[in-house]
């Protein structure tokens, strides 16, 4: 990855699909241009020699923070559904899932 | 102005019954009604609840170290009262089913929450101009921004609408608005304050922290909100020290580190540089040793941040899908994927979309190693820089922001320009260390603007940071100045 990435409209559409963001072509082009500039800026990290450097996902020396597998009080069904845009009894109502088309991501 | 506008003074006056909590809370609510239509610090106010709780304090039913004091909370903290919007259309009407741990702690300590403050949408920004609702105005000059993303909390305090406020800081979002609004703001060590109920932006960088007019006010709030929370698996189990006990004691043999890389960014306003230089001279007069240190990877801090934060954000914001809560599109859709995509396309603002896209790109197959993994390696190097520097000094001093408050609209044309505001603040979040901003001067001219300096300390150094900050504050008067607000009853 030694030269700055140039993003085609298809590249940007692909990312928008991954991110589940519905955007029209004009918007995609505008965002694509801005993304290119930002990616060009962050590319300067390539100048640094990172041989032998471990990645650090997290600043703390914490690992595997677990609790006992015991049922504790939680939200009620009503609380969980209280903000639902569309519900049917104890269910969130949504359009069809099976047969959903990847291209519907926009 | 409020009869008592700083946290500890207000708390003490209420304890001594010089004023009732009801009276002080009423004053705060009246002031909000009077002036917030010109400042837009608040997304929502809690008139009824605030007065009920103030009565509880006055009746002795509620006590604690913050009892009776009006406080404002950033609107990305879940509260079971009112709405929690993150200043986004996608959560415009969201009513959280639970309270954030720090909200419970503040209320258990007797604080009176007067309302939820404006922010850049989902905490992404440095000016509140990314709020879907309004841009908050800087109380010192309403043509200028208060900073961000916690601009509402900083402005609410600076304009005297509360005695203290709470924000969150992912890349500088408490410290930079504190600097631009002339107040003190702290980003605690990562893990010190529970994030349970903080709506996540970047989980490895986010921290909740307090604003106050005085260092002691910030220390008192931290005393209340710090500590292990089993509901936050990134919460540390270390004992919380007493932040106030030694606050007035100067540090003998203090070593202040000045990073040579911090004088390189060319966009530093000369008045900011001058004010900070004078602060360094003051510390020298107080007996501190000034040490030259190096943070060699400073110049890559913003690059690393603007990969790590968007990557984590793209994951954290995946939950906003129009299904369980939040905005759902009313356009006809053929299946669930279209429902989700349209809802998100309609509900998210530009900056949020930009960051989600960067994150999705940088995490996608073929690019993960070059971007995300590389940024995580930069993180290790940045942490190492600080570890090395802190062997030679106790704190690192720098400007908080390269400029004082800028004009609304000045930096919105170019996202990168806005990102560069964070040059002094982002590495603190990347390394997980503690940072505080405090006022160190004002610009000259007809409408003076606050200038802030930042002190960085190692993890868990808050008690020491407060003392170092207090040493400077005790010999200066910046914290006594107040903006003149048009339309306010003085």
């Amino acid at each position: 990855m030694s030269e700055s990435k140039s993003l085609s409209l298809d590249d940007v559409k692909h990312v928008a699909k991954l991110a589940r963001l519905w955007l029209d072509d004009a918007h995609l082009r505008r965002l694509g241009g801005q993304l290119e500039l930002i990616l060009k800026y962050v590319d300067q990290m390539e100048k640094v020699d990172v041989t032998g450097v471990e990645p650090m996902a997290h600043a703390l020396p914490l690992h595997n923070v677990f609790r006992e597998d015991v049922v504790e009080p939680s939200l009620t069904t009503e609380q969980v559904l209280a903000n639902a845009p569309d519900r049917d009894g104890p269910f969130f109502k949504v359009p069809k899932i099976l047969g959903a088309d990847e291209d519907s991501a926009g | 102005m409020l009869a008592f506008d700083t946290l500890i003074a207000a708390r003490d006056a209420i304890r001594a019954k010089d004023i009732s909590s009801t009276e002080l809370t009423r004053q705060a609510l009246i002031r909000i009604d009077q002036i917030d239509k010109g400042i837009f610090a608040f997304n929502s106010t809690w008139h009824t609840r605030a007065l009920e709780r103030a009565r509880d304090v006055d009746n002795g039913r509620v006590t604690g170290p913050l009892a009776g004091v009006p406080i404002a909370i950033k609107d990305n903290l879940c509260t079971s009262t009112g709405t929690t919007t993150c200043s986004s259309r996608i959560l415009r009407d969201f009513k959280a089913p639970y309270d954030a741990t720090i909200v419970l702690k503040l209320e258990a300590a007797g604080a009176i929450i007067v309302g939820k403050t404006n922010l850049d949408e989902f905490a992404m920004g440095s000016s509140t101009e990314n709020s879907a609702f309004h841009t908050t105005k800087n109380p010192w000059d309403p043509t200028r921004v208060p900073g961000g993303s916690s601009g509402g909390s900083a402005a609410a305090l600076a304009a005297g609408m509360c005695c203290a406020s709470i924000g969150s800081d992912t890349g500088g979002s408490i410290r930079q608005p504190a600097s631009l609004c002339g107040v003190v703001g702290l980003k605690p060590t990562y893990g010190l304050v529970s994030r349970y109920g903080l709506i996540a932006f970047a989980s490895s960088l986010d921290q909740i922290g307090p604003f106050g007019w005085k260092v002691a006010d910030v220390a008192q709030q931290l005393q209340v909100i710090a500590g292990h929370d089993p509901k936050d698996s990134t919460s540390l189990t270390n004992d919380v020290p007493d932040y106030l006990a030694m606050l007035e004691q100067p540090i003998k043999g203090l070593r202040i580190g000045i990073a040579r890389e911090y004088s390189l960014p060319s966009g530093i306003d000369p008045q900011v540089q001058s004010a900070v230089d004078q602060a360094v001279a003051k510390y020298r007069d107080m007996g501190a040793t000034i040490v030259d240190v190096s943070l060699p990877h400073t110049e890559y801090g913003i690059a690393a941040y603007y990969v790590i934060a968007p990557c984590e954000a793209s994951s954290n914001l995946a939950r906003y899908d129009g299904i369980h809560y939040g905005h759902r599109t009313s356009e006809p859709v053929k299946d669930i994927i279209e429902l989700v995509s349209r809802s998100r396309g309609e509900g998210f603002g530009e900056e949020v979309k930009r960051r989600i896209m960067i994150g999705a790109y940088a995490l996608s197959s073929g690019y993960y190693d070059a971007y995300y993994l590389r940024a995580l390696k930069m993180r290790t190097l940045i942490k190492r820089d600080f570890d090395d520097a802190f062997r030679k000094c106790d704190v690192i001093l720098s400007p908080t922001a390269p400029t004082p408050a800028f004009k609304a609209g000045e930096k919105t044309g170019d996202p990168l320009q806005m990102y560069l505001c964070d040059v002094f603040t982002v590495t603190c979040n990347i390394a997980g260390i503690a940072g505080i901003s405090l006022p160190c001067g004002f610009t000259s001219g007809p409408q003076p603007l606050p200038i802030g300096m930042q002190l960085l300390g190692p993890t868990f150094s808050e008690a020491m940071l407060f003392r170092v900050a207090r040493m400077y504050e005790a010999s200066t008067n910046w914290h006594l100045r107040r903006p003149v607000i048009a339309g306010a009853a003085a």
Side-chain angles (χ1 to χ4, degrees):
Chain A
M1 184 86 35
S2 51
E3 87 275 354
S4 290
K5 197 73 188 138
S6 170
L7 297 174
S8 70
L9 185 60
D10 278 345
D11 289 333
V12 186
K13 273 189 179 169
H14 172 64
V15 179
K17 208 177 268 196
L18 291 175
R20 296 287 187 257
L21 289 172
W22 185 281
L23 299 161
D24 65 36
D25 279 8
H27 205 158
L28 284 167
R29 274 195 194 88
R30 194 168 62 243
L31 266 177
Q34 290 170 342
L35 256 49
E36 269 183 19
L37 286 171
I38 295 168
L39 291 169
K40 183 171 168 185
Y41 178 82
V42 303
D43 272 344
Q44 61 178 295
M45 286 193 287
E46 281 178 37
K47 291 192 269 175
V48 182
D49 180 9
V50 292
T51 324
V53 179
E54 282 302 298
M56 189 168 104
H58 194 241
L60 293 181
L62 276 181
H63 302 281
N64 296 341
V65 178
F66 294 134
R67 67 177 176 86
E68 288 307 305
D69 186 10
V70 163
V71 175
E72 291 178 358
S74 183
L75 296 177
T76 64
T77 310
E78 273 313 304
Q79 282 176 306
V80 169
L81 287 160
N83 287 287
D86 199 358
R87 65 180 285 191
D88 183 355
F91 297 99
F92 293 98
K93 229 160 92 172
V94 296
K96 72 167 178 176
I97 298 173
L98 296 177
D101 183 0
E102 259 301 312
D103 285 337
S104 304
Chain B
M1 260 187 64
L2 303 186
F4 300 92
D5 71 348
T6 67
L7 178 122
I8 291 181
R11 190 269 314 273
D12 289 348
I14 291 166
R15 261 188 197 161
K17 301 214 187 298
D18 293 342
I19 191 170
S20 68
S21 173
T22 302
E23 175 55 28
L24 188 60
T25 301
R26 263 185 8 101
Q27 287 182 11
L29 293 169
I30 287 170
R31 191 162 172 87
I32 293 170
D33 288 341
Q34 258 180 357
I35 68 172
D36 199 45
K37 49 181 163 307
I39 299 204
F40 304 101
F42 284 89
N43 286 346
S44 57
T45 47
W46 295 7
H47 283 73
T48 312
R49 182 177 169 78
L51 288 169
E52 273 167 14
R53 288 194 34 91
R55 244 185 324 273
D56 285 343
V57 169
D58 290 333
N59 290 339
R61 269 200 291 275
V62 171
T63 58
L66 303 179
V69 181
I71 191 168
I73 304 282
K74 188 175 183 180
D75 204 12
N76 61 353
L77 281 156
C78 285
T79 53
S80 58
T81 302
T83 49
T84 301
T85 70
C86 295
S87 288
S88 177
R89 261 185 294 274
I90 218 166
L91 285 179
R92 161 171 268 153
D93 302 311
F94 178 67
K95 294 186 170 52
Y98 64 94
D99 289 292
T101 293
I102 70 108
V103 169
L104 295 175
K105 284 186 162 189
L106 288 166
E107 292 206 322
I112 309 295
I113 297 174
V114 290
K116 308 290 287 297
T117 57
N118 191 31
L119 58 152
D120 284 289
E121 188 180 355
F122 283 105
M124 300 182 190
S126 308
S127 67
T128 75
E129 290 169 294
N130 293 326
S131 166
F133 307 146
H134 8 248
T135 298
T136 300
K137 299 195 191 304
N138 191 313
W140 299 90
D141 177 344
T143 67
R144 295 177 187 266
V145 300
S149 60
S150 310
S153 281
L157 177 64
M161 295 189 267
C162 54
C163 299
S165 58
I166 298 288
S168 70
D169 188 312
T170 303
S173 289
I174 289 173
R175 292 161 287 150
Q176 185 252 26
S179 176
L180 270 49
C181 288
V183 296
V184 182
L186 171 82
K187 183 205 87 69
T189 300
Y190 183 84
L192 183 60
V193 178
S194 169
R195 292 184 301 112
Y196 182 77
L198 172 68
I199 294 190
F201 158 18
S203 309
S204 77
L205 301 168
D206 293 345
Q207 265 296 278
I208 297 166
F211 289 97
W213 281 108
K214 304 186 65 182
V215 175
D217 291 353
V218 166
Q220 175 65 85
Q221 290 174 78
L222 185 66
Q223 198 71 60
V224 169
I225 63 176
H228 176 63
D229 180 12
K231 293 188 282 195
D232 174 0
S233 63
T234 62
S235 163
L236 289 160
T237 52
N238 304 50
D239 286 336
V240 176
D242 182 337
Y243 295 120
L244 293 157
M246 304 261 283
L247 183 62
E248 298 296 329
Q249 293 230 27
I251 307 237
K252 285 194 169 43
L254 175 64
R255 299 165 302 160
I256 300 208
I258 307 289
R260 61 183 87 118
E261 291 80 7
Y262 283 173
S263 61
L264 296 177
S266 55
I268 304 181
D269 182 295
Q271 291 195 69
V272 169
Q273 189 62 62
S274 165
V276 171
D277 288 343
Q278 285 175 60
V280 173
K282 202 171 253 303
Y283 274 113
R284 199 184 270 117
D285 290 346
M286 289 191 274
T289 311
I290 312 301
V291 179
D292 177 40
V293 297
S294 177
L295 298 170
H297 298 92
T298 296
E299 66 180 293
Y300 305 107
I302 293 193
Y305 176 81
Y306 281 101
V307 170
I308 296 172
C311 284
E312 296 187 359
S314 71
S315 174
N316 280 325
L317 271 65
R319 69 194 67 187
Y320 303 104
D321 54 18
I323 295 172
H324 305 94
Y325 41 71
H327 172 75
R328 175 183 285 208
T329 182
S330 47
E331 295 290 318
V333 296
K334 68 179 192 296
D335 57 34
I336 193 168
I337 294 183
E338 191 177 340
L339 174 85
V340 170
S341 304
R342 281 197 184 268
S343 300
R344 291 161 63 82
E346 290 166 11
F348 286 139
E350 275 309 288
E351 184 59 35
V352 172
K353 284 180 176 132
R354 227 178 337 258
R355 297 201 194 189
I356 290 175
M357 295 279 281
I358 297 172
Y361 181 84
L363 288 170
S364 65
S365 165
Y367 299 112
Y368 178 94
D369 283 7
Y371 287 106
Y372 185 60
L373 207 56
R374 180 166 276 268
L376 295 187
K377 293 179 181 182
M378 292 307 313
R379 181 175 211 156
T380 302
L381 294 173
I382 287 168
K383 178 76 168 56
R384 230 181 253 172
D385 283 358
F386 280 116
D387 291 343
D388 291 344
F390 285 130
R391 278 189 257 281
K392 300 212 233 133
C393 66
D394 302 302
V395 300
I396 293 169
L397 192 159
S398 74
T400 304
T403 67
F406 42 93
K407 295 258 188 204
E410 190 180 309
K411 296 185 196 279
T412 48
D414 177 4
L416 258 180
Q417 263 250 27
M418 192 70 86
Y419 296 169
L420 293 170
C421 297
D422 302 335
V423 62
F424 298 117
T425 50
V426 285
T427 47
C428 172
N429 302 77
I430 290 172
I433 61 173
I436 189 169
S437 178
L438 60 155
C440 70
F442 281 81
T443 60
S444 57
Q447 199 117 22
L449 301 169
I451 297 171
M453 69 163 152
Q454 176 180 249
L455 298 169
L456 296 175
T459 53
F460 290 110
S461 63
E462 283 81 4
M464 187 262 301
L465 270 181
F466 289 142
R467 287 169 69 187
V468 177
R470 178 59 188 154
M471 280 168 75
Y472 177 80
E473 180 187 83
S475 65
T476 57
N477 283 328
W478 310 121
H479 58 284
L480 298 177
R481 280 169 75 155
R482 298 289 183 269
V484 174
I485 313 286

